[in-house]
Amino acid sequence: MPKNNFQTQDPQGIQGQSTLRSRRHNLPKKRSSRDLDRRTQIAVVAAGIIELTLMFAALRDLRRRPVQLARGPKPLWAVVSCHNVLGSISYIVFGRRKDPQN
């Protein structure tokens, strides 16, 4: 009886199926960022800069905004803003209330 799902009694696999070890050799070789062309490298760096800028802008606004002008708990919005570019955008669009003084 196998110890886990990946170990079998038959080294060739059950009914012609490949084992985990043989599947590992069929994986493509890992690519480095140096393997990408120059335009793709620039696009990746630009996307990273945009994501970080949005995240810092959302966190800065959240820190300065009074509790009454935030929709929902501020710690939750801080976590959401740090996870992804969509989190920062969602805070900017949905998480802020308009200031009645302006």
Side-chain angles (χ1 to χ4, degrees):
M1 180 141 213
K3 293 182 181 179
N4 58 34
N5 293 337
F6 299 114
Q7 295 177 346
T8 61
Q9 296 294 333
D10 183 13
Q12 298 299 320
I14 299 174
Q15 298 176 359
Q17 295 177 354
S18 62
T19 62
L20 180 63
R21 180 172 288 148
S22 63
R23 281 186 224 149
R24 201 176 303 147
H25 295 292
N26 294 334
L27 294 175
K29 185 179 176 184
K30 288 186 179 181
R31 293 179 63 183
S32 171
S33 61
R34 294 181 190 143
D35 296 336
L36 301 174
D37 63 341
R38 187 73 175 156
R39 292 177 71 187
T40 306
Q41 288 176 350
I42 292 171
V44 168
V45 170
I49 290 171
I50 290 169
E51 182 174 356
L52 287 175
T53 302
L54 282 171
M55 182 184 69
F56 286 130
L59 291 174
R60 182 177 182 217
D61 181 77
L62 185 62
R63 185 184 65 209
R64 292 182 176 192
R65 186 167 294 274
V67 175
Q68 298 83 7
L69 296 179
R71 295 181 198 257
K74 289 174 74 171
L76 177 66
W77 280 116
V79 170
V80 168
S81 296
C82 289
H83 274 119
N84 196 341
V85 68
L86 294 178
S88 299
I89 292 172
S90 65
Y91 167 71
I92 292 169
V93 173
F94 302 113
R96 304 184 309 166
R97 291 191 178 145
K98 300 291 181 194
D99 191 3
Q101 296 174 359
N102 289 337

